Amino acid sequence: MMGNPEIIESGLPEPLRAFSTTRRGGVSQAPFDDFNLGDACGDQPERVAVNRARLRDGLPAEPRWLRQVHGTTVIHLGDWQPGIEADAAWTDRPGEVVAVLTADCLPVVIAAMDGSVIGIAHAGWRGLAAGVLEALVRALPRDPNGLMAWIGPRIGGHAYEVDATVRTAFPGYPQAFRATRPGHWQGELPAIAGDRLAAVGVRRIDDCGLCTASDPQRFFSHRRDGRSGRMATLAWIEA
């Protein structure tokens, strides 16, 4: 058995709380070692269950897991049910936990500065291009100027080489792509996310700056390993 799960705090002001897990502190075996929280990546279900139970010990309620499909659907947790397809969720009720799973994609927490609402989005390149962050901002019943965002551990541009399919999905962001070889670029998705959030009025945007692909000791990375576990990013309003 490993030690306590490691977490990366967002630093959001009270009564808001959000953090991301790492791969440390669980019971899964390679290549999912060891704090894998994903139940659809090939890990043994009983080990995932142990890991999720350890995670639950530090939370006010069971996380409301989503069936993530790289889309733009946003739900209020009042509409949640097991297996629901969505890539973002929010709540205005203290003690409810919104959650996403990632292993390179951007986990983006968006909350009201007054602590009254909080949401989270799973933003891979497809969801980012399709507008999942803007969809979450629109869903929150607050003026965007009163919102703030936190980007958790994600792949950085220096480790994320993309082809023309991804490059052409973001025609308005030439500054976010640096050519590496013919037909390929390094893509800075966090920079694009920040620009898109600012464009819809989010005033404070913090990026943790941690690259999943560059730190195999701390993070799972689908791009780096192909077959890997998943970290979780969770957020709630404390009661």
Side-chain angles (χ1 to χ4, degrees):
M1 303 288 280
M2 303 298 293
N4 293 328
E6 178 186 40
I7 62 172
I8 296 165
E9 291 276 5
S10 66
L12 293 179
E14 294 181 353
L16 304 172
R17 180 86 187 278
F19 67 79
S20 294
T21 63
T22 74
R23 68 185 302 166
R24 297 172 175 166
V27 299
S28 293
Q29 302 296 304
F32 310 108
D33 49 320
D34 42 59
F35 195 52
N36 168 47
L37 296 165
D39 62 355
C41 56
D43 196 0
Q44 296 179 23
E46 60 271 23
R47 294 189 181 276
V48 177
V50 171
N51 292 339
R52 288 190 172 188
R54 290 189 176 191
L55 177 68
R56 173 65 180 86
D57 285 345
L59 301 174
E62 288 288 343
R64 297 305 193 185
W65 304 108
L66 308 173
R67 184 165 176 260
Q68 299 167 195
V69 294
H70 297 276
T72 61
T73 298
V74 181
I75 66 161
H76 183 270
L77 283 194
D79 298 320
W80 180 89
Q81 56 187 332
I84 193 168
E85 285 191 2
D87 283 271
W90 67 278
T91 185
D92 51 0
R93 300 184 293 201
E96 292 186 336
V97 181
V98 290
V100 295
L101 295 168
T102 59
D104 285 334
C105 294
L106 282 66
V108 183
V109 177
I110 303 176
M113 293 183 185
D114 65 5
S116 60
V117 298
I118 194 165
I120 190 168
H122 158 250
W125 75 264
R126 291 179 180 85
L128 186 60
V132 67
L133 299 185
E134 294 91 334
L136 178 55
V137 170
R138 287 194 302 269
L140 298 178
R142 298 293 183 273
D143 188 315
N145 289 329
L147 300 178
M148 56 187 166
W150 180 72
I151 303 173
R154 73 296 181 275
I155 196 166
H158 61 284
Y160 188 52
E161 188 179 60
V162 302
D163 60 16
T165 301
V166 178
R167 174 67 183 83
T168 57
F170 300 98
Y173 299 91
Q175 74 281 5
F177 294 89
R178 186 174 70 84
T180 54
R181 54 193 172 101
H184 291 79
W185 298 263
Q186 289 177 337
E188 286 284 357
L189 296 187
I192 295 173
D195 285 350
R196 295 187 78 148
L197 287 167
V200 294
V202 179
R203 298 175 60 186
R204 171 181 157 186
I205 303 162
D206 297 326
D207 179 2
C208 77
L210 298 172
C211 174
T212 48
S214 301
D215 192 345
Q217 299 304 311
R218 292 187 86 188
F219 301 117
F220 297 113
S221 169
H222 180 74
R223 169 60 69 97
R224 183 190 64 229
D225 299 330
R227 193 163 176 248
S228 76
R230 298 292 186 271
M231 288 89 63
T233 299
L234 309 107
W236 66 94
I237 303 167
E238 294 191 319

